[in-house]
């Protein structure tokens, strides 16, 4: 019937000095979430979807160190391409034998020239001779966007056919 009576910063685990968990997400998303709750809205955006595949194969053939290096390198490439082009790295998730990453332009920050930004980022990401196979898709269209979850565990997400089409 109502949200739980929890302090603004619940202490789920002991605080670790010198650890900035903000580096776990891109700057646009981090700043958006720091500025409080926003209303849900319909937006017209560009969505890029990156799939890194072959993680299970690489693990079996070369071991965990090679897999760690390959994933770290590719996530760094995605983060760099997103930052270079003013694109938001909205989310990442594990899949069967891989990783998927969603890039957006138009949410949570409106920058303009969304298609060019996402296409330029994907061009930097998709390149030959990598340890993991890389595929990408991109499309533009309407989504429903907003903050989800209580104030102490909030996230920003988008829903709509456009996301599935990009994938």
């Amino acid at each position: 019937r109502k949200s739980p009576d929890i302090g603004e910063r619940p202490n789920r685990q002991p605080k670790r000095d010198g650890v900035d968990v903000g580096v776990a997400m891109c700057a646009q998303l981090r700043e958006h979430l720091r500025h409080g709750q926003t209303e849900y809205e319909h937006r017209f955006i560009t969505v890029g979807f990156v799939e890194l595949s072959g993680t299970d194969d690489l693990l079996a053939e070369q071991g965990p160190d090679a897999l760690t290096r390959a994933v770290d390198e590719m996530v760094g490439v995605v983060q760099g391409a997103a930052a270079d082009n003013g694109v938001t790295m909205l989310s990442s998730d594990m899949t069967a034998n891989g990783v998927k990453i969603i890039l957006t332009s138009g949410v949570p920050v409106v920058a303009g020239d969304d298609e060019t930004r996402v296409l330029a980022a994907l061009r930097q990401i998709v390149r030959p001779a990598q340890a993991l196979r890389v595929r990408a898709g991109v499309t533009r269209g309407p989504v429903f966007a907003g903050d989800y979850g209580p104030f102490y565990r909030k996230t920003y997400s988008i829903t709509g056919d456009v996301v599935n089409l990009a994938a």
Side-chain angles (χ1 to χ4, degrees):
R1 295 184 187 243
K2 68 175 191 147
S3 60
D5 186 24
I6 297 175
E8 190 168 322
R9 297 186 182 271
N11 187 8
R12 299 200 183 276
Q13 291 187 3
K15 183 178 179 183
R16 294 188 170 94
D17 292 331
V19 175
D20 178 13
V21 296
V23 300
M25 61 185 71
C26 74
Q28 297 98 324
L29 189 55
R30 183 175 57 243
E31 289 307 310
H32 170 81
L33 291 172
R34 283 186 176 159
H35 286 94
Q37 189 78 19
T38 60
E39 295 298 317
Y40 300 107
E41 60 187 340
H42 291 275
R43 292 260 188 107
F44 204 79
I45 69 165
T46 302
V47 179
F49 190 94
V50 177
E51 179 186 62
L52 311 174
S53 60
T55 54
D56 294 353
D57 303 332
L58 185 61
L59 178 63
E61 293 168 11
Q62 299 182 30
D65 291 338
L67 175 60
T68 301
R69 282 191 303 276
V71 170
D72 181 58
E73 176 188 341
M74 284 310 304
V75 169
V77 167
V78 173
Q79 289 172 322
D84 290 349
N85 294 284
V87 171
T88 300
M89 186 173 153
L90 188 65
S91 66
S92 62
D93 198 4
M94 294 173 48
T95 64
N97 199 22
V99 176
K100 66 180 179 180
I101 301 171
I102 299 174
L103 303 174
T104 62
S105 185
V107 290
V109 177
V110 177
D113 203 16
D114 298 333
E115 300 93 342
T116 302
R117 291 173 184 277
V118 174
L119 287 169
L122 292 177
R123 183 151 165 69
Q124 283 180 244
I125 295 164
V126 178
R127 49 194 178 138
Q130 298 176 95
L132 298 172
R133 292 179 299 279
V134 181
R135 293 186 328 153
V138 64
T139 192
R140 179 162 173 75
V143 296
F144 188 66
D147 297 339
Y148 296 87
F151 66 89
Y152 56 86
R153 192 178 172 129
K154 185 171 47 168
T155 190
Y156 183 86
S157 190
I158 58 174
T159 58
D161 291 337
V162 170
V163 180
N164 298 329
L165 182 58

